[in-house]
Amino acid sequence: MNELKYKHSESLLSRAKKVLAGGVSSEFRKYNHPHAIFYSHGNGSHIYDVDGNEYLDFTLSQGPLIVGHSHPDVLDAVATYSKKGQLFAGQHIQEIELAEKLQELIPAAESMRFCLDGSEAVQTAFRVARAKTGRSKFLRFEGHYHGWLDNVAYGISTTDLAALGSRTTPAVFPWSAGQSPNSRDEFIILPWNDLDLLQHTLELQHQDLAAIITEPIMCNNSCIIPNDGFLQGLRDLCDKYGIALIFDEVITGFRMGLGGAQKYYGITPDIAVFAKAMGSGYPISAVVGKREWMAEIEEGRVIHAGTMNASNPTIAASLATIKVLQDDKDTYKRMFDLGLMLKEGLVGAAKRTGQNLLVQGPGPMLHTGFTDLDKVSDYRDTFTYDRVKLNKFISGLHDENIRVIGRGLWYISAVHTEQEVAHALKVAEQILCDL
Ligand code: PMP
């Protein structure tokens, strides 16, 4: 590594640490290479840091920037609607237009509310499910991420497989100090993609369960695709026991298609949560659901509120993002094709260099990790990953100006090109060779 490459960022980080806790505003930003980096601007598929380094960006700012950095249509829409006023503490027409658009695109979106981020929308979904069913717990899966708030900040953070305990009654650990100890009583946790185990658990415990929440693709750990019939199995079991099926589409939403993973797989949940790519980096999310569930909010039994909800600029950003995605009929085909090109290219490079690199995912998002397994099928398999090697790979890419999320996740945007993917592959092969 060139010692001078990140010099200005390094000095800004020292300054930031005096005023921002840990120098950052979100925990994950600490873990850049070689430390938190300060950026000056972004454009399309590229982002620039304060040292003048230009990166080909596959992080898309943790997913939101599906039409790239600073898309002119998004920025124009935000500027235009901001000039009319930022926030009314009242209704505006664009809000209806966005809701009508989501209703047209997303199967479960018969009714909805807008919020600010994914974490908040998830909690709204739980509240609706508890209110309608009169039950208190939710069931969730190991390795799935549903935000940073107390009752979901479990099941994602141990480095020791043995500590997870048995598959049938997994042990869980709080992610953070200071989580309410009572939050542990709010959920049951199970390994994902195991319908028999789920069925057995529900036979015994369904009477406690208001909801089952799942990422339809396990994007937050290894980009694991659901087994054939798994999502349908979830749907059937939820119907059988009167449990709300919640899809957390914070990552899959607008990424697997305009209708999210629910449209892609043809399985409609009762409630679903969208954020990230929905707003191109502006703080907007949605909790959507079938009317019989959303009636809890419609009829005022469930309270959902928020001073900042559905502000003019965020609604404008979302409408503009969806328009960009929808106007070009080839957008999704291109994102899937480029993802496939990246996946096949990385697999080929790994073969030629003798590296045990495993690449998983549907294309618009992919996960890379080093393991001797042919397939990583659930969270427990992720403990086979060589994290030191991954770190070297991701850091190596970063030093060569290719930015990938530290845990090995790559996002493709609507503005990445074949030439850019080809360039990334060439660089990646060299790094694999040098590992
Ligand atoms: N659910 C999923 C699937 C996510 O990936 C995330 C964020 N990575 C969240 C929920 C939380 O969203 P936010 O960070 O917007 O609160």
Side-chain angles (χ1 to χ4, degrees), residues 338-410:
L338 280 183
L340 194 63
M341 175 181 167
L342 183 60
K343 189 174 186 174
E344 286 175 353
L346 286 169
V347 168
K351 238 182 223 150
R352 287 189 292 278
T353 53
Q355 292 292 352
N356 58 349
L357 181 73
L358 179 70
V359 191
Q360 297 201 147
M365 61 281 197
L366 293 175
H367 179 270
T368 47
F370 295 89
T371 172
D372 291 334
L373 296 182
D374 292 337
K375 187 178 169 201
V376 163
S377 313
D378 82 4
Y379 181 55
R380 289 170 182 245
D381 289 345
T382 69
F383 289 82
T384 62
Y385 282 134
D386 181 339
R387 289 173 203 271
V388 174
K389 207 175 189 185
L390 177 67
N391 202 15
K392 282 190 191 151
F393 180 54
I394 302 292
S395 305
L397 287 165
H398 196 271
D399 287 340
E400 294 299 326
N401 298 24
I402 293 179
R403 192 175 176 231
V404 177
I405 295 175
R407 64 180 192 277
L409 190 64
W410 302 58

Side-chain angles (χ1 to χ4, degrees), residues 141-263:
F141 298 102
E142 288 176 343
H144 290 223
Y145 182 76
H146 302 295
W148 66 277
L149 299 178
D150 278 6
N151 58 0
V152 286
Y154 290 91
I156 42 175
S157 65
T158 170
T159 47
D160 178 7
L161 178 58
L164 278 183
S166 80
R167 284 179 64 82
T168 46
T169 48
V172 287
F173 305 91
W175 187 27
S176 166
Q179 279 175 237
S180 161
N182 298 337
S183 58
R184 173 62 192 94
D185 301 329
E186 290 189 33
F187 64 91
I188 297 170
I189 193 162
L190 287 181
W192 196 57
N193 249 342
D194 186 339
L195 213 46
D196 290 342
L197 179 56
L198 179 66
Q199 199 156 353
H200 180 67
T201 307
L202 290 190
E203 274 163 23
L204 301 175
Q205 301 191 61
H206 65 269
Q207 62 277 22
D208 296 332
L209 284 172
I212 297 180
I213 186 166
T214 185
E215 292 183 65
I217 295 172
M218 185 160 141
C219 304
N220 275 293
N221 263 296
S222 288
C223 257
I224 300 169
I225 301 292
N227 288 341
D228 280 351
F230 181 70
L231 295 179
Q232 183 63 56
L234 283 181
R235 180 64 279 172
D236 295 344
L237 287 167
C238 284
D239 287 342
K240 177 170 174 189
Y241 291 117
I243 296 168
L245 178 59
I246 303 174
F247 276 6
D248 181 341
E249 296 234 39
V250 168
I251 292 184
T252 51
F254 301 95
R255 190 155 283 289
M256 294 302 289
L258 288 164
Q262 56 193 272
K263 179 102 188 210

